[in-house]
Amino acid sequence: MPDLTPGQFQLVYNLLSLTVATMLAAGLFFYGSRAHVAHRYRPALLVSAIVVWIAGYHYFRIFQSWEGAFMLSGEGAYTASGAFFNDAYRYADWLITVPLLLVELVAVMALAKDEARSLLTKLVIAAVLMIAFGYPGEVSDNATTKWVWWAAAMVPYLYIYAALFSKMGPVIAANPGRVGSLLGLARNVLIVTWLFYPISFLAPVLGLGGATGEVFLQVGYTIADITAKAGFGVVIYMIAAARTEQEGHGATTEPLAA
Amino acid sequence: MPDLTPGQFQLVYNLLSLTVATMLAAGLFFYGSRAHVAHRYRPALLVSAIVVWIAGYHYFRIFQSWEGAFMLSGEGAYTASGAFFNDAYRYADWLITVPLLLVELVAVMALAKDEARSLLTKLVIAAVLMIAFGYPGEVSDNATTKWVWWAAAMVPYLYIYAALFSKMGPVIAANPGRVGSLLGLARNVLIVTWLFYPISFLAPVLGLGGATGEVFLQVGYTIADITAKAGFGVVIYMIAAARTEQEGHGATTEPLAA
């Protein structure tokens, strides 16, 4: 790890801690919110809760790994302690959470059951391949190896983009008003935040290294994860609440369970 | 950190621990209380729970950081251990919880949906700017820098005060009796406790330093946080309960499960 100024070290340190709090709290919100929407949309909120709790666990580990990887040297700089900073926690996290984020999205699209199942199977396989292909490139120090695995991971990545655009377009069109515009928002949050990952993957190859590069990567991944998981989950909640209201079976007519 | 007497060190230490217990317990109360109010007010109680749980997490971290930042020297005094006391946890906490406190308040004002959404958007943006502007001043040692960021943060701060006064006045007037007086109490709790933050921000500039200054700051921030989060949440709960009773659809007429 490169030497960091106290400001650089603490920015990442505080942001990682903030992310632990955000993910755990978002999970409690999604979990508790199930009782406030129609039964049909409760599984989507439960999956949203699971996603951010898994992320909260991994950010707790990343926080500890970051803290352990540096030590305050006499001259007011944080230098490498010799302990390993394990960025692979991110891949472990994505391998579980990225397929689940796609489950959330499909669950609030309210497709016919067969159509939903078939779409979800394709998306989940593509998501797992995308993360699995990225990993060998991430841990390699060789530029060619990184590029080869990057290209391999981009195939399922672009497949997911294409599938979401072709499948969500008609659903958005069929739901004018608040539900349709929220579905469009969910798709856009996913598509825009996901752009960060393939770009940052290439940061070492593109010469973005050293202290600034490391801080940029950690801050960028963290903001992307908060947006793509907690922020995305809030949009899923808003879709579920809007659909509940629209369908006229507000929680008032239903037995509750939380 | 300055040298502290055992009494000074332990006062802060015990108050921080008490706050962890208070915040976690208040969260369980608000979470469990949802089942006792009308459906419309349940999201407000869920958000109250999230706020104090996030604060409980941060007070746990502040407690550990305080403990690590001092060591008992032979002469019965607590001296700086050399480990960093991370007061930035407070800013991480406020960045998430202050917008959510405003969500709670607007949720029990029972405005029309469009009006609530528009008010909330403005308040949340102002709250995020207020905390973000405060941070660079807090971490700077320069008096001018502190004053500049203090002044910048005071603009959204005063905007929030003005918006709450102008929007809550008519709502309070339209709800004579218990609901109106509780809404007035919620507004006053928020406005009075929030006064502590910009004043204490300036403590180092105003010459309040050393052991007494540090203890005053920690005790003051902690009491302000308990009042503005757990205390404020109790008032929000009382408003939700009073409105439930007033609207005649008490929880007793509904199937419950929690």
mmCIF file of all heavy atoms in Angstrom, chain A residues 10 13-14 17-18 20-22 25 28-29 31-33 36 60 63 178 245 251-252 256-258, chain B residues 31 34 39 42-43 46 50 53-54 57-58 61 84 86 88-89 92 96 113 117 255 257-258:
data_model
loop_
_atom_site.group_PDB
_atom_site.id
_atom_site.type_symbol
_atom_site.label_atom_id
_atom_site.label_comp_id
_atom_site.label_asym_id
_atom_site.label_seq_id
_atom_site.Cartn_x
_atom_site.Cartn_y
_atom_site.Cartn_z
ATOM 1 N N GLN A 10 -7.938 9.071 6.773
ATOM 2 C CA GLN A 10 -9.181 9.244 7.544
ATOM 3 C C GLN A 10 -10.414 9.400 6.657
ATOM 4 O O GLN A 10 -11.505 9.016 7.058
ATOM 5 C CB GLN A 10 -9.046 10.432 8.504
ATOM 6 C CG GLN A 10 -8.169 10.084 9.695
ATOM 7 C CD GLN A 10 -7.634 11.300 10.414
ATOM 8 O OE1 GLN A 10 -8.190 12.383 10.299
ATOM 9 N NE2 GLN A 10 -6.552 11.126 11.147
ATOM 10 N N TYR A 13 -11.291 5.864 5.922
ATOM 11 C CA TYR A 13 -11.672 5.254 7.191
ATOM 12 C C TYR A 13 -13.094 5.671 7.603
ATOM 13 O O TYR A 13 -13.944 4.827 7.910
ATOM 14 C CB TYR A 13 -10.642 5.715 8.228
ATOM 15 C CG TYR A 13 -10.807 5.221 9.638
ATOM 16 C CD1 TYR A 13 -10.194 4.045 10.065
ATOM 17 C CD2 TYR A 13 -11.516 5.959 10.585
ATOM 18 C CE1 TYR A 13 -10.306 3.615 11.377
ATOM 19 C CE2 TYR A 13 -11.638 5.534 11.894
ATOM 20 C CZ TYR A 13 -11.034 4.360 12.288
ATOM 21 O OH TYR A 13 -11.150 3.929 13.584
ATOM 22 N N ASN A 14 -13.357 6.974 7.558
ATOM 23 C CA ASN A 14 -14.677 7.463 7.971
ATOM 24 C C ASN A 14 -15.769 7.091 6.978
ATOM 25 O O ASN A 14 -16.899 6.811 7.366
ATOM 26 C CB ASN A 14 -14.639 8.984 8.173
ATOM 27 C CG ASN A 14 -13.899 9.357 9.446
ATOM 28 O OD1 ASN A 14 -14.118 8.757 10.489
ATOM 29 N ND2 ASN A 14 -13.003 10.317 9.354
ATOM 30 N N SER A 17 -16.706 3.462 7.581
ATOM 31 C CA SER A 17 -17.546 3.341 8.777
ATOM 32 C C SER A 17 -18.963 3.832 8.490
ATOM 33 O O SER A 17 -19.951 3.184 8.868
ATOM 34 C CB SER A 17 -16.921 4.143 9.915
ATOM 35 O OG SER A 17 -17.845 4.254 10.977
ATOM 36 N N LEU A 18 -19.061 4.969 7.811
ATOM 37 C CA LEU A 18 -20.374 5.503 7.435
ATOM 38 C C LEU A 18 -21.152 4.480 6.602
ATOM 39 O O LEU A 18 -22.372 4.338 6.745
ATOM 40 C CB LEU A 18 -20.175 6.797 6.651
ATOM 41 C CG LEU A 18 -21.408 7.527 6.121
ATOM 42 C CD1 LEU A 18 -21.125 9.032 6.058
ATOM 43 C CD2 LEU A 18 -21.822 7.062 4.738
ATOM 44 N N VAL A 20 -20.864 1.150 6.709
ATOM 45 C CA VAL A 20 -21.369 0.089 7.598
ATOM 46 C C VAL A 20 -22.704 0.530 8.198
ATOM 47 O O VAL A 20 -23.703 -0.202 8.142
ATOM 48 C CB VAL A 20 -20.351 -0.221 8.729
ATOM 49 C CG1 VAL A 20 -20.951 -1.190 9.740
ATOM 50 C CG2 VAL A 20 -19.055 -0.776 8.160
ATOM 51 N N ALA A 21 -22.722 1.758 8.751
ATOM 52 C CA ALA A 21 -23.950 2.265 9.383
ATOM 53 C C ALA A 21 -25.089 2.368 8.372
ATOM 54 O O ALA A 21 -26.225 1.971 8.650
ATOM 55 C CB ALA A 21 -23.681 3.630 10.020
ATOM 56 N N THR A 22 -24.772 2.896 7.193
ATOM 57 C CA THR A 22 -25.810 3.083 6.173
ATOM 58 C C THR A 22 -26.406 1.756 5.735
ATOM 59 O O THR A 22 -27.631 1.618 5.604
ATOM 60 C CB THR A 22 -25.210 3.800 4.940
ATOM 61 O OG1 THR A 22 -24.653 5.037 5.374
ATOM 62 C CG2 THR A 22 -26.268 4.067 3.878
ATOM 63 N N ALA A 25 -28.495 0.111 8.593
ATOM 64 C CA ALA A 25 -29.732 0.864 8.818
ATOM 65 C C ALA A 25 -30.699 0.699 7.650
ATOM 66 O O ALA A 25 -31.906 0.527 7.850
ATOM 67 C CB ALA A 25 -29.404 2.339 9.035
ATOM 68 N N LEU A 28 -32.514 -2.529 8.022
ATOM 69 C CA LEU A 28 -33.602 -2.490 8.998
ATOM 70 C C LEU A 28 -34.815 -1.771 8.420
ATOM 71 O O LEU A 28 -35.951 -2.160 8.655
ATOM 72 C CB LEU A 28 -33.126 -1.807 10.285
ATOM 73 C CG LEU A 28 -32.112 -2.633 11.074
ATOM 74 C CD1 LEU A 28 -31.420 -1.788 12.130
ATOM 75 C CD2 LEU A 28 -32.816 -3.823 11.753
ATOM 76 N N PHE A 29 -34.556 -0.722 7.645
ATOM 77 C CA PHE A 29 -35.668 0.000 7.017
ATOM 78 C C PHE A 29 -36.408 -0.900 6.026
ATOM 79 O O PHE A 29 -37.637 -1.001 6.065
ATOM 80 C CB PHE A 29 -35.161 1.264 6.310
ATOM 81 C CG PHE A 29 -36.250 2.007 5.594
ATOM 82 C CD1 PHE A 29 -37.148 2.791 6.298
ATOM 83 C CD2 PHE A 29 -36.408 1.887 4.220
ATOM 84 C CE1 PHE A 29 -38.180 3.460 5.649
ATOM 85 C CE2 PHE A 29 -37.430 2.548 3.561
ATOM 86 C CZ PHE A 29 -38.315 3.331 4.279
ATOM 87 N N TYR A 31 -36.427 -4.163 5.849
ATOM 88 C CA TYR A 31 -37.037 -5.279 6.581
ATOM 89 C C TYR A 31 -38.343 -4.826 7.251
ATOM 90 O O TYR A 31 -39.376 -5.488 7.124
ATOM 91 C CB TYR A 31 -36.053 -5.812 7.622
ATOM 92 C CG TYR A 31 -36.483 -7.106 8.262
ATOM 93 C CD1 TYR A 31 -36.195 -8.327 7.663
ATOM 94 C CD2 TYR A 31 -37.185 -7.118 9.468
ATOM 95 C CE1 TYR A 31 -36.590 -9.522 8.241
ATOM 96 C CE2 TYR A 31 -37.591 -8.304 10.050
ATOM 97 C CZ TYR A 31 -37.289 -9.509 9.435
ATOM 98 O OH TYR A 31 -37.692 -10.684 10.002
ATOM 99 N N GLY A 32 -38.280 -3.688 7.941
ATOM 100 C CA GLY A 32 -39.470 -3.182 8.635
ATOM 101 C C GLY A 32 -40.551 -2.686 7.683
ATOM 102 O O GLY A 32 -41.736 -2.713 8.009
ATOM 103 N N SER A 33 -40.137 -2.241 6.500
ATOM 104 C CA SER A 33 -41.095 -1.666 5.544
ATOM 105 C C SER A 33 -41.976 -2.703 4.869
ATOM 106 O O SER A 33 -42.963 -2.329 4.236
ATOM 107 C CB SER A 33 -40.342 -0.922 4.441
ATOM 108 O OG SER A 33 -39.817 0.253 4.945
ATOM 109 N N HIS A 36 -45.556 -2.375 5.319
ATOM 110 C CA HIS A 36 -46.247 -1.178 4.810
ATOM 111 C C HIS A 36 -46.605 -1.283 3.329
ATOM 112 O O HIS A 36 -47.098 -0.329 2.752
ATOM 113 C CB HIS A 36 -45.395 0.077 5.049
ATOM 114 C CG HIS A 36 -44.867 0.192 6.452
ATOM 115 N ND1 HIS A 36 -43.791 0.963 6.797
ATOM 116 C CD2 HIS A 36 -45.271 -0.386 7.619
ATOM 117 C CE1 HIS A 36 -43.555 0.863 8.088
ATOM 118 N NE2 HIS A 36 -44.433 0.053 8.613
ATOM 119 N N PHE A 60 -17.776 -3.866 7.053
ATOM 120 C CA PHE A 60 -17.175 -3.999 8.384
ATOM 121 C C PHE A 60 -15.796 -4.648 8.260
ATOM 122 O O PHE A 60 -14.813 -4.212 8.855
ATOM 123 C CB PHE A 60 -18.088 -4.838 9.280
ATOM 124 C CG PHE A 60 -17.610 -4.930 10.695
ATOM 125 C CD1 PHE A 60 -17.861 -3.904 11.598
ATOM 126 C CD2 PHE A 60 -16.890 -6.028 11.124
ATOM 127 C CE1 PHE A 60 -17.399 -3.981 12.912
ATOM 128 C CE2 PHE A 60 -16.422 -6.121 12.434
ATOM 129 C CZ PHE A 60 -16.681 -5.086 13.328
ATOM 130 N N PHE A 63 -13.365 -2.239 6.498
ATOM 131 C CA PHE A 63 -12.972 -1.212 7.479
ATOM 132 C C PHE A 63 -11.832 -1.720 8.366
ATOM 133 O O PHE A 63 -10.815 -1.061 8.543
ATOM 134 C CB PHE A 63 -14.194 -0.849 8.330
ATOM 135 C CG PHE A 63 -13.934 0.094 9.474
ATOM 136 C CD1 PHE A 63 -13.984 1.469 9.297
ATOM 137 C CD2 PHE A 63 -13.638 -0.391 10.737
ATOM 138 C CE1 PHE A 63 -13.749 2.339 10.360
ATOM 139 C CE2 PHE A 63 -13.391 0.465 11.801
ATOM 140 C CZ PHE A 63 -13.447 1.835 11.613
ATOM 141 N N ARG A 178 -46.461 7.607 -11.831
ATOM 142 C CA ARG A 178 -45.394 7.464 -10.849
ATOM 143 C C ARG A 178 -44.666 6.110 -10.944
ATOM 144 O O ARG A 178 -43.446 6.044 -10.859
ATOM 145 C CB ARG A 178 -46.000 7.648 -9.453
ATOM 146 C CG ARG A 178 -44.972 7.734 -8.371
ATOM 147 C CD ARG A 178 -45.531 8.338 -7.093
ATOM 148 N NE ARG A 178 -44.659 8.024 -5.983
ATOM 149 C CZ ARG A 178 -43.531 8.680 -5.726
ATOM 150 N NH1 ARG A 178 -43.152 9.669 -6.478
ATOM 151 N NH2 ARG A 178 -42.777 8.331 -4.698
ATOM 152 N N GLU A 245 -50.360 1.463 -3.442
ATOM 153 C CA GLU A 245 -51.363 2.523 -3.438
ATOM 154 C C GLU A 245 -52.236 2.446 -4.693
ATOM 155 O O GLU A 245 -53.461 2.523 -4.625
ATOM 156 C CB GLU A 245 -50.632 3.865 -3.393
ATOM 157 C CG GLU A 245 -51.486 5.027 -2.947
ATOM 158 C CD GLU A 245 -50.646 6.304 -2.891
ATOM 159 O OE1 GLU A 245 -49.420 6.195 -2.653
ATOM 160 O OE2 GLU A 245 -51.208 7.375 -3.101
ATOM 161 N N ALA A 251 -52.125 -1.171 2.933
ATOM 162 C CA ALA A 251 -51.887 -2.064 4.056
ATOM 163 C C ALA A 251 -53.069 -2.068 5.020
ATOM 164 O O ALA A 251 -53.223 -3.002 5.786
ATOM 165 C CB ALA A 251 -50.623 -1.655 4.778
ATOM 166 N N THR A 252 -53.939 -1.033 4.942
ATOM 167 C CA THR A 252 -55.060 -0.950 5.893
ATOM 168 C C THR A 252 -56.047 -2.094 5.760
ATOM 169 O O THR A 252 -56.730 -2.428 6.699
ATOM 170 C CB THR A 252 -55.860 0.355 5.710
ATOM 171 O OG1 THR A 252 -56.043 0.567 4.316
ATOM 172 C CG2 THR A 252 -55.137 1.511 6.334
ATOM 173 N N LEU A 256 -51.290 -7.736 8.921
ATOM 174 C CA LEU A 256 -49.891 -7.345 8.861
ATOM 175 C C LEU A 256 -49.008 -8.417 9.426
ATOM 176 O O LEU A 256 -49.388 -9.167 10.300
ATOM 177 C CB LEU A 256 -49.683 -6.118 9.736
ATOM 178 C CG LEU A 256 -50.147 -4.814 9.136
ATOM 179 C CD1 LEU A 256 -49.850 -3.726 10.127
ATOM 180 C CD2 LEU A 256 -49.389 -4.557 7.849
ATOM 181 N N ALA A 257 -47.807 -8.403 8.920
ATOM 182 C CA ALA A 257 -46.795 -9.248 9.545
ATOM 183 C C ALA A 257 -45.476 -8.545 9.425
ATOM 184 O O ALA A 257 -45.124 -8.051 8.374
ATOM 185 C CB ALA A 257 -46.746 -10.606 8.881
ATOM 186 N N ALA A 258 -44.814 -8.429 10.482
ATOM 187 C CA ALA A 258 -43.457 -7.863 10.469
ATOM 188 C C ALA A 258 -42.615 -8.678 11.449
ATOM 189 O O ALA A 258 -41.561 -9.100 11.188
ATOM 190 C CB ALA A 258 -43.489 -6.417 10.901
ATOM 191 N N TYR B 31 -39.394 0.846 16.780
ATOM 192 C CA TYR B 31 -39.658 -0.250 15.836
ATOM 193 C C TYR B 31 -40.892 -1.037 16.279
ATOM 194 O O TYR B 31 -41.791 -1.306 15.491
ATOM 195 C CB TYR B 31 -38.431 -1.173 15.760
ATOM 196 C CG TYR B 31 -38.493 -2.165 14.625
ATOM 197 C CD1 TYR B 31 -38.052 -1.803 13.358
ATOM 198 C CD2 TYR B 31 -38.983 -3.452 14.813
ATOM 199 C CE1 TYR B 31 -38.096 -2.701 12.300
ATOM 200 C CE2 TYR B 31 -39.040 -4.354 13.766
ATOM 201 C CZ TYR B 31 -38.594 -3.979 12.516
ATOM 202 O OH TYR B 31 -38.655 -4.868 11.467
ATOM 203 N N ARG B 34 -44.633 0.642 16.025
ATOM 204 C CA ARG B 34 -45.352 0.814 14.760
ATOM 205 C C ARG B 34 -46.709 0.137 14.810
ATOM 206 O O ARG B 34 -47.699 0.646 14.304
ATOM 207 C CB ARG B 34 -44.529 0.238 13.601
ATOM 208 C CG ARG B 34 -43.284 1.045 13.273
ATOM 209 C CD ARG B 34 -42.472 0.334 12.216
ATOM 210 N NE ARG B 34 -42.190 -1.029 12.628
ATOM 211 C CZ ARG B 34 -42.180 -2.081 11.830
ATOM 212 N NH1 ARG B 34 -42.416 -1.935 10.544
ATOM 213 N NH2 ARG B 34 -41.916 -3.277 12.295
ATOM 214 N N HIS B 39 -51.689 2.962 10.205
ATOM 215 C CA HIS B 39 -50.728 2.641 9.142
ATOM 216 C C HIS B 39 -50.010 3.852 8.575
ATOM 217 O O HIS B 39 -48.834 3.797 8.262
ATOM 218 C CB HIS B 39 -51.457 1.922 7.998
ATOM 219 C CG HIS B 39 -51.707 0.497 8.299
ATOM 220 N ND1 HIS B 39 -52.907 0.062 8.809
ATOM 221 C CD2 HIS B 39 -50.924 -0.590 8.188
ATOM 222 C CE1 HIS B 39 -52.845 -1.242 9.004
ATOM 223 N NE2 HIS B 39 -51.652 -1.660 8.636
ATOM 224 N N ARG B 42 -46.827 4.727 10.466
ATOM 225 C CA ARG B 42 -45.808 3.704 10.752
ATOM 226 C C ARG B 42 -44.457 3.995 10.115
ATOM 227 O O ARG B 42 -43.419 3.784 10.758
ATOM 228 C CB ARG B 42 -46.339 2.326 10.347
ATOM 229 C CG ARG B 42 -47.481 1.928 11.265
ATOM 230 C CD ARG B 42 -48.065 0.570 10.948
ATOM 231 N NE ARG B 42 -49.219 0.374 11.829
ATOM 232 C CZ ARG B 42 -49.949 -0.724 11.878
ATOM 233 N NH1 ARG B 42 -49.666 -1.745 11.088
ATOM 234 N NH2 ARG B 42 -50.977 -0.826 12.702
ATOM 235 N N PRO B 43 -44.432 4.490 8.857
ATOM 236 C CA PRO B 43 -43.104 4.812 8.292
ATOM 237 C C PRO B 43 -42.341 5.841 9.146
ATOM 238 O O PRO B 43 -41.120 5.745 9.279
ATOM 239 C CB PRO B 43 -43.435 5.368 6.905
ATOM 240 C CG PRO B 43 -44.729 4.692 6.539
ATOM 241 C CD PRO B 43 -45.495 4.615 7.838
ATOM 242 N N LEU B 46 -40.705 3.981 11.889
ATOM 243 C CA LEU B 46 -39.608 3.163 11.359
ATOM 244 C C LEU B 46 -38.369 4.033 11.136
ATOM 245 O O LEU B 46 -37.249 3.651 11.500
ATOM 246 C CB LEU B 46 -40.059 2.484 10.053
ATOM 247 C CG LEU B 46 -39.078 1.528 9.403
ATOM 248 C CD1 LEU B 46 -38.631 0.430 10.368
ATOM 249 C CD2 LEU B 46 -39.703 0.895 8.156
ATOM 250 N N ILE B 50 -34.565 3.845 12.792
ATOM 251 C CA ILE B 50 -33.328 3.834 12.003
ATOM 252 C C ILE B 50 -32.357 4.916 12.503
ATOM 253 O O ILE B 50 -31.165 4.683 12.650
ATOM 254 C CB ILE B 50 -33.653 4.100 10.506
ATOM 255 C CG1 ILE B 50 -34.651 3.099 9.943
ATOM 256 C CG2 ILE B 50 -32.397 4.147 9.672
ATOM 257 C CD1 ILE B 50 -34.269 1.704 10.072
ATOM 258 N N TRP B 53 -30.757 3.949 15.804
ATOM 259 C CA TRP B 53 -29.844 2.815 15.634
ATOM 260 C C TRP B 53 -28.531 3.262 14.979
ATOM 261 O O TRP B 53 -27.453 2.815 15.362
ATOM 262 C CB TRP B 53 -30.518 1.691 14.833
ATOM 263 C CG TRP B 53 -31.402 0.838 15.702
ATOM 264 C CD1 TRP B 53 -31.264 0.609 17.048
ATOM 265 C CD2 TRP B 53 -32.546 0.078 15.297
ATOM 266 N NE1 TRP B 53 -32.263 -0.229 17.495
ATOM 267 C CE2 TRP B 53 -33.060 -0.579 16.448
ATOM 268 C CE3 TRP B 53 -33.203 -0.120 14.079
ATOM 269 C CZ2 TRP B 53 -34.179 -1.411 16.409
ATOM 270 C CZ3 TRP B 53 -34.310 -0.950 14.043
ATOM 271 C CH2 TRP B 53 -34.800 -1.589 15.197
ATOM 272 N N ILE B 54 -28.638 4.136 13.981
ATOM 273 C CA ILE B 54 -27.414 4.666 13.358
ATOM 274 C C ILE B 54 -26.601 5.424 14.416
ATOM 275 O O ILE B 54 -25.380 5.274 14.506
ATOM 276 C CB ILE B 54 -27.765 5.595 12.173
ATOM 277 C CG1 ILE B 54 -28.379 4.790 11.026
ATOM 278 C CG2 ILE B 54 -26.531 6.357 11.696
ATOM 279 C CD1 ILE B 54 -28.983 5.654 9.919
ATOM 280 N N TYR B 57 -24.824 2.995 16.719
ATOM 281 C CA TYR B 57 -23.600 2.482 16.084
ATOM 282 C C TYR B 57 -22.464 3.487 16.256
ATOM 283 O O TYR B 57 -21.353 3.144 16.656
ATOM 284 C CB TYR B 57 -23.852 2.199 14.598
ATOM 285 C CG TYR B 57 -22.576 2.006 13.804
ATOM 286 C CD1 TYR B 57 -21.926 0.787 13.810
ATOM 287 C CD2 TYR B 57 -22.007 3.076 13.097
ATOM 288 C CE1 TYR B 57 -20.734 0.613 13.104
ATOM 289 C CE2 TYR B 57 -20.826 2.916 12.392
ATOM 290 C CZ TYR B 57 -20.191 1.682 12.398
ATOM 291 O OH TYR B 57 -19.020 1.520 11.715
ATOM 292 N N HIS B 58 -22.737 4.756 15.935
ATOM 293 C CA HIS B 58 -21.673 5.756 15.997
ATOM 294 C C HIS B 58 -21.218 6.016 17.431
ATOM 295 O O HIS B 58 -20.027 6.226 17.680
ATOM 296 C CB HIS B 58 -22.110 7.044 15.301
ATOM 297 C CG HIS B 58 -22.077 6.923 13.810
ATOM 298 N ND1 HIS B 58 -23.195 7.003 13.017
ATOM 299 C CD2 HIS B 58 -21.041 6.654 12.968
ATOM 300 C CE1 HIS B 58 -22.842 6.817 11.752
ATOM 301 N NE2 HIS B 58 -21.554 6.602 11.694
ATOM 302 N N ARG B 61 -18.775 3.406 18.368
ATOM 303 C CA ARG B 61 -17.452 3.707 17.795
ATOM 304 C C ARG B 61 -16.770 4.856 18.559
ATOM 305 O O ARG B 61 -15.572 4.811 18.821
ATOM 306 C CB ARG B 61 -17.593 4.117 16.329
ATOM 307 C CG ARG B 61 -17.984 2.977 15.419
ATOM 308 C CD ARG B 61 -16.747 2.461 14.727
ATOM 309 N NE ARG B 61 -17.077 1.431 13.754
ATOM 310 C CZ ARG B 61 -16.417 0.274 13.659
ATOM 311 N NH1 ARG B 61 -15.427 0.000 14.471
ATOM 312 N NH2 ARG B 61 -16.754 -0.598 12.742
ATOM 313 N N PHE B 84 -5.561 8.192 17.780
ATOM 314 C CA PHE B 84 -6.363 9.282 17.270
ATOM 315 C C PHE B 84 -7.786 9.200 17.831
ATOM 316 O O PHE B 84 -8.402 8.136 17.767
ATOM 317 C CB PHE B 84 -6.355 9.116 15.749
ATOM 318 C CG PHE B 84 -7.227 10.050 15.006
ATOM 319 C CD1 PHE B 84 -7.015 11.412 15.064
ATOM 320 C CD2 PHE B 84 -8.250 9.559 14.207
ATOM 321 C CE1 PHE B 84 -7.815 12.274 14.344
ATOM 322 C CE2 PHE B 84 -9.054 10.405 13.493
ATOM 323 C CZ PHE B 84 -8.833 11.773 13.567
ATOM 324 N N ASN B 86 -11.374 10.012 17.087
ATOM 325 C CA ASN B 86 -12.047 10.334 15.834
ATOM 326 C C ASN B 86 -13.418 10.966 16.054
ATOM 327 O O ASN B 86 -14.438 10.284 16.052
ATOM 328 C CB ASN B 86 -12.160 9.065 14.979
ATOM 329 C CG ASN B 86 -12.722 9.358 13.609
ATOM 330 O OD1 ASN B 86 -12.670 10.510 13.158
ATOM 331 N ND2 ASN B 86 -13.260 8.356 12.961
ATOM 332 N N ALA B 88 -14.838 12.687 13.943
ATOM 333 C CA ALA B 88 -15.519 12.742 12.636
ATOM 334 C C ALA B 88 -16.683 11.746 12.567
ATOM 335 O O ALA B 88 -17.545 11.873 11.705
ATOM 336 C CB ALA B 88 -14.538 12.481 11.505
ATOM 337 N N TYR B 89 -16.706 10.756 13.478
ATOM 338 C CA TYR B 89 -17.879 9.869 13.536
ATOM 339 C C TYR B 89 -19.153 10.689 13.686
ATOM 340 O O TYR B 89 -20.214 10.312 13.205
ATOM 341 C CB TYR B 89 -17.773 8.914 14.726
ATOM 342 C CG TYR B 89 -16.771 7.791 14.544
ATOM 343 C CD1 TYR B 89 -15.799 7.535 15.498
ATOM 344 C CD2 TYR B 89 -16.818 6.965 13.419
ATOM 345 C CE1 TYR B 89 -14.885 6.503 15.353
ATOM 346 C CE2 TYR B 89 -15.906 5.932 13.261
ATOM 347 C CZ TYR B 89 -14.945 5.703 14.233
ATOM 348 O OH TYR B 89 -14.056 4.681 14.074
ATOM 349 N N ALA B 92 -20.205 11.892 10.245
ATOM 350 C CA ALA B 92 -20.751 10.765 9.476
ATOM 351 C C ALA B 92 -22.182 10.481 9.944
ATOM 352 O O ALA B 92 -23.091 10.276 9.142
ATOM 353 C CB ALA B 92 -19.865 9.535 9.650
ATOM 354 N N ILE B 96 -26.155 11.301 7.822
ATOM 355 C CA ILE B 96 -27.252 10.365 7.547
ATOM 356 C C ILE B 96 -28.494 10.721 8.367
ATOM 357 O O ILE B 96 -29.612 10.680 7.873
ATOM 358 C CB ILE B 96 -26.871 8.900 7.872
ATOM 359 C CG1 ILE B 96 -25.417 8.597 7.490
ATOM 360 C CG2 ILE B 96 -27.806 7.922 7.181
ATOM 361 C CD1 ILE B 96 -24.963 7.210 7.917
ATOM 362 N N LYS B 113 -49.657 14.940 -0.323
ATOM 363 C CA LYS B 113 -48.454 14.242 -0.795
ATOM 364 C C LYS B 113 -47.480 15.131 -1.555
ATOM 365 O O LYS B 113 -46.277 15.110 -1.310
ATOM 366 C CB LYS B 113 -48.857 13.065 -1.694
ATOM 367 C CG LYS B 113 -49.181 11.847 -0.853
ATOM 368 C CD LYS B 113 -48.742 10.549 -1.498
ATOM 369 C CE LYS B 113 -48.869 9.449 -0.460
ATOM 370 N NZ LYS B 113 -49.288 8.174 -0.994
ATOM 371 N N ARG B 117 -43.713 16.150 -0.373
ATOM 372 C CA ARG B 117 -42.554 15.767 -1.184
ATOM 373 C C ARG B 117 -41.688 16.982 -1.500
ATOM 374 O O ARG B 117 -40.466 16.925 -1.409
ATOM 375 C CB ARG B 117 -43.055 15.132 -2.484
ATOM 376 C CG ARG B 117 -42.456 13.762 -2.733
ATOM 377 C CD ARG B 117 -43.153 13.077 -3.905
ATOM 378 N NE ARG B 117 -43.945 11.951 -3.479
ATOM 379 C CZ ARG B 117 -44.978 11.443 -4.160
ATOM 380 N NH1 ARG B 117 -45.380 12.002 -5.290
ATOM 381 N NH2 ARG B 117 -45.623 10.396 -3.700
ATOM 382 N N PRO B 255 -56.300 -5.970 12.565
ATOM 383 C CA PRO B 255 -55.520 -7.169 12.863
ATOM 384 C C PRO B 255 -54.057 -6.766 12.981
ATOM 385 O O PRO B 255 -53.582 -5.929 12.223
ATOM 386 C CB PRO B 255 -55.734 -8.053 11.646
ATOM 387 C CG PRO B 255 -56.194 -7.133 10.570
ATOM 388 C CD PRO B 255 -56.812 -5.943 11.203
ATOM 389 N N ALA B 257 -49.909 -7.823 13.681
ATOM 390 C CA ALA B 257 -48.853 -8.807 13.876
ATOM 391 C C ALA B 257 -47.547 -8.068 13.851
ATOM 392 O O ALA B 257 -47.320 -7.238 12.992
ATOM 393 C CB ALA B 257 -48.888 -9.871 12.806
ATOM 394 N N ALA B 258 -46.765 -8.277 14.807
ATOM 395 C CA ALA B 258 -45.436 -7.665 14.803
ATOM 396 C C ALA B 258 -44.485 -8.672 15.427
ATOM 397 O O ALA B 258 -43.394 -8.825 15.108
ATOM 398 C CB ALA B 258 -45.432 -6.363 15.577
#
